[in-house]
């Protein structure tokens, strides 16, 4: 505004006011509204304190990177949400919690929690076009710690998640040999001439021995670090190098990588499914998997684990979803994206479950046949030695072609007749159901059970290479999203930093921090970080996201923003989910998680070399302190930022008006009448109808259409919005 204009100086004049507020705003520089003289009540000569906001300068928003195509964006979201958990966590939970019956609570909670909250994150990221820190600074600055907590959780998860990719890289290169190195137990030469099977391998299995001893070379407790495992250190370096190359150019490089890393796992899963269905016993595994145990649905634990899986399967709270959607155009149909990605994620989990249990059904049949043969040899020995009588053997039983059914019949007769001394015989029942009920998850599924099954495949090295290459791509897709969740908010806050330097710097720091996980005891720290660094903090982050939009910003206001952005009004279903159902479900989940942590002993499964088996050990006091400090560190930004901004110790990060916001203000003010305009500029009297700080909306009547939406809170401040230009309290957009 010109300082010597007649209107501003209050001088008498006869000329009509030719400078409209709209013209002045068009010519004005971006305004720091908190430091404006009108806002602060300063005299014309006083100098306000300089502040720095997070919003970009006028030209920055137009220069924000964007996806090359809608397909690229969808693949990025799918690659981030579909990860290792879909392959090795969902099948385990499905088996543990009632088979096909588990799908019912999972699907219900996907509808009640998953899709609505996924849609919410997509919408706020797309509307505000910032990373997690910038988004929540704009919505409600006092809860700006949400974005910082998301960033810290991303950091913690990225540290150990990339270690798993490193393990997959190691197994990938080990697969280029025949026979596979974990197919048989190694031979140890004693006294220069006597060859014996490695005792630790003989007591366990070849695949278990290869995992714990030759891959991890693991110690027996977390307190014994054992020094660095150099094979795993090199694998971790390779993993971080791949991630760095994928994200170094931002979405320009990661978007291209996603075309392969997101689609290739589906090719492998379909190939494995076709191959698995051709294997003997695969149908037994699938039938066991989907046989519903309906009584399990009544157990609260099943619903808690289903809610947790829904929560993490979609990547809620990590910031990656918001970061990816921030590179979209504002009129993109994010409602369709939310439904599409959620459904693809669910179908992928079902597909992976079919593959896993087709293969595990084959493995169970192999192990059951082996059990029958071993126990049949014991019975033949007892018959030859006279311990058992031939009269106990059914006449139709042929030991040279002994089936599992025949063995079961023979086992039942012997157990009935020799009831008193049966335990001394050491016979196993060899029941296929028992083999199928051996629940495995995580590394136990991928690096032990699945690898053992693949040793029985024809052309086993080929299938092993495909499987571990699939794991690498699944992990890479999730890591790209995790790294984007870290770098995007940092680049938004500090736009002068070159993204290449930031990405390389983050990867170097993460590699050195990740050396903790490639010690010989590193697997125990992976378990600790997986159990403590993400679960509770992320749940708290997401419920605060939900509350800040639904209760502080306002669900009705947010629904109206979505209508303006999408061009149609979202279903009333979302109104009730965001307002009531999702916060209630998340509150129950938080309470259940805290109770579970308090009741369950804090510990880990240690591999004891002498026993060649796992043994549960409690964490020592220092390790327990580290575990709880991870939770505290991830959640500490929430109260710190709230207190700092409540007492005005920290800028709210939303105090600059950007180009799009000034255009909205220009449109609002251009229709003011001349006398109201002059009164508005001079601050004299009350202008007729005062312009809203937000762009104009048609009144949203809520889901029932009974009442017009009203809003008295300023955007992101929690204080009443006053009339007049000097009291603008909103950021770049209204979401």
């Amino acid at each position: 505004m010109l300082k010597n204009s007649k209107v501003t100086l209050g001088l008498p004049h006869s000329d009509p006011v030719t400078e409209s507020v709209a013209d002045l705003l068009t010519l004005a520089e971006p305004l720091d509204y908190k430091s404006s003289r009108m806002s602060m009540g300063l005299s014309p000569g006083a100098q306000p304190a300089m502040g720095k906001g997070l919003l970009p300068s006028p030209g920055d928003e137009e220069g924000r990177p964007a996806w090359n195509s809608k397909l690229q964006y969808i693949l990025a979201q799918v690659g981030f949400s579909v990860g290792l958990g879909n392959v090795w966590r969902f099948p385990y939970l499905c088996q543990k919690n009632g088979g096909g019956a588990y799908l019912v609570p999972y699907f219900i909670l996907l509808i009640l929690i998953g899709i609505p909250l996924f849609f919410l994150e997509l919408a706020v990221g797309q509307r505000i076009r910032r990373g997690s820190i910038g988004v929540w600074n704009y919505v409600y600055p006092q809860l700006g710690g949400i974005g910082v907590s998301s960033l810290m959780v991303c950091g913690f998860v990225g540290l150990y998640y990339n270690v798993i990719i490193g393990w997959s890289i190691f197994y990938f290169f080990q697969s280029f040999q025949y026979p596979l190195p974990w197919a048989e137990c190694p031979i140890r030469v004693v006294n220069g001439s006597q060859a014996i099977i490695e005792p630790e391998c003989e007591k366990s299995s070849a695949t278990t021995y290869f995992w714990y001893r030759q891959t991890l070379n693991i110690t027996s407790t977390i307190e014994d670090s054992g020094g660095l495992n150099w094979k795993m250190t090199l694998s971790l370096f390779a993993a971080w190098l791949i991630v760095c190359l994928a994200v170094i150019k931002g979405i320009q490089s990661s978007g291209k990588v996603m075309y392969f890393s997101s689609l290739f796992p589906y090719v492998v899963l379909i190939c494995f499914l076709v191959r698995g269905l051709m294997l003997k016993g695969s149908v037994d595994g699938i039938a066991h998997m989907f046989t519903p145990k309906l009584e399990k649905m009544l157990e609260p634990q099943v619903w808690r684990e289903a809610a947790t899986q829904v929560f993490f399967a979609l990547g809620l709270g990590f910031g990656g979803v918001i970061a990816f959607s921030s590179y979209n155009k504002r009129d993109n149909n994010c409602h369709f994206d939310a439904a599409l990605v959620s459904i693809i994620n669910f179908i992928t989990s079902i597909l992976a479950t079919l593959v896993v249990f087709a293969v595990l059904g084959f493995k169970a049949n192999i192990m059951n046949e082996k059990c029958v043969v071993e126990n049949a040899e014991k019975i033949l020995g007892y018959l030859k030695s006279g311990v058992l009588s031939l009269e106990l053997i059914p006449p139709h039983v042929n030991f040279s072609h002994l089936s599992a059914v025949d063995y079961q019949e023979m086992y039942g007769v012997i157990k009935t007749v020799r009831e008193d001394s049966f335990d001394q015989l050491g016979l196993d029942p060899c029941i296929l159901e028992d083999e199928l009920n051996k629940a495995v998850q995580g590394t136990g599924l991928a690096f032990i059970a699945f690898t053992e099954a693949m040793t029985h495949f024809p052309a086993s090295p080929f299938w092993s290479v495909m499987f571990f290459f699939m794991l690498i791509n699944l992990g890479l897709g999730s890591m790209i999203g995790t790294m984007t969740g870290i770098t995007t908010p940092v680049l938004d806050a500090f736009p002068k930093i070159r993204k290449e330097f930031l990405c390389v710097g983050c990867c170097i720091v993460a590699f050195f921090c990740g050396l903790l996980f490639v010690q010989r005891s590193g697997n125990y720290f992976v378990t600790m970080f997986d159990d403590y660094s993400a679960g509770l903090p992320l749940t708290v982050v997401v419920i605060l996201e939900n509350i800040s939009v639904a209760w502080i910003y306002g669900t009705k206001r947010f629904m109206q923003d979505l209508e303006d952005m999408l061009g149609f009004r979202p279903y009333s279903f979302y109104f009730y989910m965001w307002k009531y159902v999702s916060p209630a479900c998340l509150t129950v989940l938080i309470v259940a998680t805290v109770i579970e942590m308090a009741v369950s002993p804090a510990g880990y499964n240690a591999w004891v070399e002498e026993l060649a088996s796992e043994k549960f050990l409690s964490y020592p006091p220092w390790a327990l302190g580290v575990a709880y400090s991870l939770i505290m560190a991830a959640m500490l930004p929430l109260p710190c930022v709230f207190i700092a901004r409540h007492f005005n110790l920290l800028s709210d990060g939303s105090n600059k008006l950007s180009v799009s916001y000034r255009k909205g203000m220009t449109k609002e003010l251009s229709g003011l009448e001349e006398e109201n305009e002059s009164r508005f500029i001079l601050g004299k009297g009350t202008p007729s109808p005062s312009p809203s700080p937000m762009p104009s909306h048609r009144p949203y009547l809520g889901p029932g259409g009974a009442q017009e939406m009203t809003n008295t809170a300023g955007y992101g401040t929690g204080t009443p919005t006053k009339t007049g230009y000097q009291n603008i309290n909103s950021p770049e957009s209204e979401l």
Side-chain angles (χ1 to χ4, degrees):
M1 183 180 299
L2 300 177
K3 293 183 179 180
N4 59 352
S5 70
K6 295 178 180 179
V7 174
T8 305
L9 298 177
L11 298 177
H13 60 91
S14 58
D15 299 332
V17 179
T18 57
E19 295 174 325
S20 69
V21 174
D23 295 332
L24 296 174
L25 280 173
T26 305
L27 297 173
E29 293 298 323
L31 175 66
D32 185 341
Y33 71 92
K34 287 195 169 182
S35 61
S36 71
R37 293 178 174 84
M38 289 184 289
S39 172
M40 302 175 65
L42 298 177
S43 60
Q47 294 297 323
M50 297 300 293
K52 182 179 180 181
L54 289 176
L55 280 168
S57 59
D60 289 348
E61 187 170 332
E62 286 76 5
R64 187 172 182 80
W67 298 102
N68 291 334
S69 66
K70 181 66 174 281
L71 175 62
Q72 190 180 78
Y73 165 68
I74 292 296
L75 290 177
Q77 291 286 15
V78 169
F80 176 55
S81 64
V82 175
L84 298 174
N86 295 76
V87 174
W88 67 30
R89 178 71 178 168
F90 185 89
Y92 161 75
L93 291 175
C94 205
Q95 177 191 23
K96 175 186 174 185
N97 295 315
Y102 172 76
L103 299 179
V104 176
Y106 182 86
F107 188 74
I108 291 173
L109 291 168
L110 178 66
I111 299 297
L112 297 182
I113 297 178
I115 295 179
L117 294 178
F118 192 61
F119 180 27
L120 185 146
E121 288 201 354
L122 289 179
V124 295
Q126 179 175 308
R127 184 61 167 164
I128 298 177
R129 294 175 63 88
R130 294 294 180 273
S132 56
I133 294 179
V135 160
W136 303 113
N137 276 339
Y138 297 164
V139 175
Y140 188 59
Q142 290 186 355
L143 287 181
I146 293 174
V148 183
S149 288
S150 294
L151 190 147
M152 294 195 68
V153 172
C154 275
F156 289 148
V157 172
L159 287 178
Y160 76 84
Y161 202 88
N162 220 26
V163 174
I164 300 173
I165 299 179
W167 294 340
S168 302
I169 291 173
F170 176 76
Y171 267 77
F172 173 75
F173 285 106
Q174 290 292 314
S175 300
F176 288 96
Q177 49 188 305
Y178 185 81
L180 292 170
W182 51 82
E184 298 176 352
C185 286
I187 304 298
R188 178 193 290 185
V189 178
V190 181
N191 299 326
S193 58
Q194 185 179 3
I196 63 171
I197 297 176
E198 183 67 44
E200 185 181 3
C201 183
E202 190 175 19
K203 293 178 184 177
S204 54
S205 68
T207 51
T208 304
Y209 175 81
F210 186 86
W211 167 244
Y212 282 114
R213 187 56 51 212
Q214 294 189 307
T215 302
L216 301 179
N217 194 19
I218 200 166
T219 58
S220 296
T221 67
I222 195 173
E223 295 178 285
D224 179 14
S225 70
L228 288 177
N229 180 338
W230 289 105
K231 291 184 290 186
M232 293 301 101
T233 303
L234 292 175
S235 299
L236 179 64
F237 177 80
W240 277 113
L241 181 62
I242 293 172
V243 170
C244 184
L245 293 175
V247 301
I248 192 167
K249 292 290 186 181
I251 63 171
Q252 281 77 16
S253 57
S254 61
K256 294 179 176 64
V257 172
M258 285 296 183
Y259 281 114
F260 182 81
S261 65
S262 295
L263 295 176
F264 179 75
Y266 290 95
V267 175
V268 177
L269 284 174
I270 292 171
C271 290
F272 262 98
L273 180 60
V274 173
R275 184 67 186 92
L277 291 174
M278 298 168 63
L279 297 171
K280 179 183 178 182
S282 62
V283 177
D284 295 328
I286 293 174
H288 174 77
M289 177 69 253
F290 288 103
T291 301
K293 303 178 182 67
L294 298 178
E295 66 279 2
K296 284 278 190 180
M297 290 178 60
L298 302 177
E299 299 179 9
Q301 177 74 3
V302 173
W303 289 82
R304 187 188 73 84
E305 292 191 343
T308 304
Q309 179 61 20
V310 166
F311 189 79
F312 290 107
L314 294 174
L316 299 174
F318 281 94
V321 173
I322 293 176
F324 280 152
S325 65
S326 72
Y327 298 115
N328 270 331
K329 296 179 180 178
R330 279 202 177 91
D331 58 353
N332 174 63
N333 189 350
C334 55
H335 175 260
F336 172 79
D337 300 342
L340 178 64
V341 174
S342 300
I343 292 171
I344 290 175
N345 190 291
F346 179 67
I347 293 174
T348 305
S349 297
I350 300 297
L351 175 62
T353 301
L354 287 171
V355 170
V356 166
F357 278 89
V359 173
L360 291 185
F362 165 70
K363 174 179 174 288
N365 271 268
I366 295 290
M367 300 305 294
N368 199 55
E369 290 176 359
K370 183 179 178 182
C371 176
V372 168
V373 170
E374 290 176 350
N375 284 273
E377 291 177 353
K378 287 183 183 180
I379 293 174
L380 283 173
Y382 292 143
L383 292 173
K384 290 178 181 179
S385 62
V387 175
L388 294 177
S389 171
L390 282 172
E391 297 177 354
L392 299 177
I393 309 302
H396 64 275
V397 171
N398 183 356
F399 277 91
S400 60
H401 297 89
L402 187 63
S403 67
V405 175
D406 290 342
Y407 174 78
Q408 289 293 327
E409 183 180 355
M410 183 170 57
Y411 176 87
V413 172
I414 295 172
K415 185 176 182 179
T416 302
V417 175
R418 299 292 300 270
E419 184 176 357
D420 296 335
S421 58
F422 181 78
D423 292 339
Q424 299 175 5
L425 298 177
L427 297 177
D428 297 318
C430 298
I431 301 174
L432 180 63
E433 191 79 6
D434 292 342
E435 284 292 334
L436 291 170
N437 279 329
K438 291 180 179 178
V440 287
Q441 65 165 320
T443 55
L445 173 64
F447 298 105
I448 297 177
F450 220 86
T451 51
E452 184 173 353
M454 285 188 295
T455 59
H456 301 287
F457 281 20
S460 55
F462 168 78
W463 293 105
S464 183
V465 167
M466 292 282 283
F467 177 71
F468 288 108
F469 194 42
M470 177 191 72
L471 291 187
I472 292 170
N473 280 277
L474 284 172
L476 180 60
S478 297
M479 276 301 300
I480 288 174
T482 301
M483 289 297 294
T484 305
I486 295 173
T487 57
T488 297
V490 174
L491 290 171
D492 288 342
F494 306 100
K496 292 185 179 180
I497 298 178
R498 289 190 60 180
K499 68 180 68 173
E500 295 86 351
F501 293 160
L502 178 62
C503 291
V504 172
C506 286
C507 292
I508 291 173
V509 171
F511 167 72
F512 284 106
C513 292
L515 295 178
L516 172 70
F517 305 105
V518 291
Q519 303 175 96
R520 291 180 58 197
S521 62
N523 188 47
Y524 305 139
F525 288 98
V526 171
T527 302
M528 177 194 292
F529 272 64
D530 190 38
D531 290 341
Y532 289 92
S533 68
L536 183 60
L538 271 186
T539 313
V540 173
V541 162
V542 173
I543 193 173
L544 290 177
E545 290 181 356
N546 195 169
I547 290 172
S548 63
V549 170
W551 287 91
I552 298 175
Y553 181 69
T555 311
K556 294 181 180 179
R557 189 180 179 190
F558 185 55
M559 291 285 282
Q560 184 62 54
D561 293 341
L562 289 175
E563 182 178 357
D564 292 342
M565 183 170 70
L566 302 177
F568 63 89
R569 180 172 296 174
Y571 300 115
S572 299
F573 164 82
Y574 291 107
F575 179 91
Y576 294 109
M577 292 301 105
W578 289 328
K579 188 79 171 179
Y580 306 110
V581 179
S582 294
C585 291
L586 290 172
T587 301
V588 172
L589 180 58
I590 290 174
V591 172
T593 302
V594 172
I595 293 174
E596 178 75 13
M597 291 176 63
V599 173
S600 302
Y604 61 102
N605 290 318
W607 178 258
V608 182
E609 183 176 358
E610 294 76 18
L611 303 175
S613 63
E614 289 185 335
K615 180 181 178 182
F616 184 82
L617 298 177
S618 297
Y619 283 122
W622 66 267
L624 200 58
V626 172
Y628 286 119
S629 68
L630 292 173
I631 299 176
M632 295 296 294
M635 296 176 62
L636 194 60
L638 296 170
C640 287
V641 173
F642 184 88
I643 293 171
R645 285 185 173 152
H646 181 75
F647 292 101
N648 297 320
L649 302 176
L650 183 67
S651 168
D652 67 8
S654 62
N655 59 338
K656 295 265 186 187
L657 297 178
S658 69
V659 172
S660 63
Y661 181 74
R662 289 194 297 118
K663 287 178 180 177
M665 283 293 299
T666 300
K667 184 177 179 181
E668 286 290 330
L669 298 177
S670 60
L672 288 176
E673 293 186 2
E674 199 169 84
E675 62 272 14
N676 280 341
E677 184 179 18
S678 62
R679 221 179 301 165
F680 181 71
I681 297 172
L682 294 171
K684 297 176 182 179
T686 304
S688 67
S690 170
S692 167
M694 308 304 300
S696 60
H697 296 307
R698 296 176 299 280
Y700 178 67
L701 301 180
Q707 289 182 333
E708 182 175 322
M709 180 192 72
T710 58
N711 180 58
T712 58
Y715 192 113
T717 62
T719 59
T721 302
K722 303 176 183 178
T723 59
Y725 179 64
Q726 66 268 29
N727 292 298
I728 295 170
N729 258 336
S730 61
E732 171 203 20
S733 71
E734 75 285 6
L735 290 183

